[in-house]
């Protein structure tokens, strides 16, 4: 990577970082929405008498058996959030590394 490419990359990274930060916010909202959907389904099952286990462990098992789709949605939303956070971290690290390279090039000049 030559000096011009370093400068161009440094100039483009803030926009990419901002986009990734917005994506993190959106993905966090998706996780919250998925959790809310799961909670609503669990509440529905409990309040309609569909869950009739005699103890807490049985009721929890019944809830899990009837909310697999909603639980999978939460898991997938959390996974996507982790991936975008990793991407954001990569962008931050790249930006910092390029700043160090610029500092080294200044010192060498």
């Amino acid at each position: 990577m030559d000096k011009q490419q370093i400068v161009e990359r440094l100039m483009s990274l803030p926009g990419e970082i901002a986009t990734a930060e917005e994506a993190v916010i959106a993905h966090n909202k998706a996780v919250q929405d998925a959790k809310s959907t799961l909670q609503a389904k669990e509440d529905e099952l409990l309040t309609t008498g569909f869950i009739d286990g005699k103890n807490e462990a049985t009721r929890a098992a019944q809830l899990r058996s009837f909310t697999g789709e909603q639980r999978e949605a939460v898991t997938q939303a959390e996974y996507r959030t982790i991936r975008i956070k990793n991407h954001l971290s990569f962008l931050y690290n790249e930006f910092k590394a390029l700043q160090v390279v610029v500092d080294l090039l200044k010192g060498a000049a």
Side-chain angles (χ1 to χ4, degrees):
M1 187 175 259
D2 65 22
K3 290 179 185 179
Q4 183 61 34
Q5 290 171 320
I6 292 171
V7 169
E8 290 171 2
R9 186 65 183 141
L10 277 170
M11 297 300 290
S12 69
L13 275 169
E16 290 181 41
I17 289 170
T19 299
E21 287 172 338
E22 290 173 8
V24 167
I25 292 167
H27 282 79
N28 281 332
K29 182 175 181 335
V31 169
Q32 292 307 313
D33 290 347
K35 286 180 177 180
S36 292
T37 300
L38 171 60
Q39 185 64 56
K41 180 67 173 181
E42 289 177 344
D43 292 347
E44 175 190 334
L45 291 167
L46 287 167
T47 58
T48 60
F50 198 70
I51 301 300
D52 59 359
K54 300 296 181 206
N55 59 50
E56 186 177 340
T58 302
R59 288 189 299 275
Q62 287 176 322
L63 280 173
R64 284 191 304 274
S65 72
F66 292 113
T67 57
E69 183 179 320
Q70 292 81 7
R71 289 178 183 282
E72 180 62 21
V74 170
T75 300
Q76 289 302 314
E78 289 173 337
Y79 175 72
R80 287 188 297 272
T81 300
I82 290 168
R83 289 193 54 175
I84 194 65
K85 285 180 178 180
N86 285 343
H87 179 66
L88 178 59
S89 178
F90 173 82
L91 292 173
Y92 279 135
N93 290 336
E94 182 181 6
F95 188 74
K96 290 175 188 174
L98 288 173
Q99 287 176 321
V100 169
V101 170
V102 167
D103 290 341
L104 290 173
L105 291 174
K106 280 193 238 177

